[in-house]
Amino acid sequence: MTKPADLRAKSPDELKDMLIALRREQFNLRFQRATGQLESTNRIRVIRRDIARIKTILGERAAAAAPAA
């Protein structure tokens, strides 16, 4: 699990790279679950929440960069 403070210290490019890597891992875990090979079911939840954290931080930065309407 990644802490929000650690994510806020990263650049948007680093966050996007992390997001891509987490989505790949999420896909692999879903595939393992479907084939009955998944050992740690909690990892799916952790990955999903890390993806949400990254998307939230990217959204906050985009909203702050946009001019107030």
Side-chain angles (χ1 to χ4, degrees):
M1 180 166 80
T2 308
K3 296 190 179 199
D6 295 337
L7 293 175
R8 291 185 200 283
K10 294 185 182 282
S11 71
D13 289 333
E14 290 175 323
L15 289 174
K16 289 176 185 176
D17 290 341
M18 282 183 66
L19 186 61
I20 291 169
L22 287 171
R23 285 189 173 160
R24 282 188 187 135
E25 186 174 354
Q26 183 184 35
F27 174 79
N28 290 333
L29 290 173
R30 282 196 320 245
F31 196 85
Q32 287 176 10
R33 181 176 58 185
T35 59
Q37 297 175 352
L38 184 62
E39 293 180 11
S40 176
T41 57
N42 186 45
R43 185 73 181 140
I44 294 174
R45 173 193 248 180
V46 170
I47 295 295
R48 191 177 69 234
R49 290 185 179 181
D50 282 346
I51 290 171
R53 280 187 191 95
I54 291 172
K55 289 178 78 173
T56 299
I57 291 170
L58 288 173
E60 287 173 352
R61 290 183 181 174

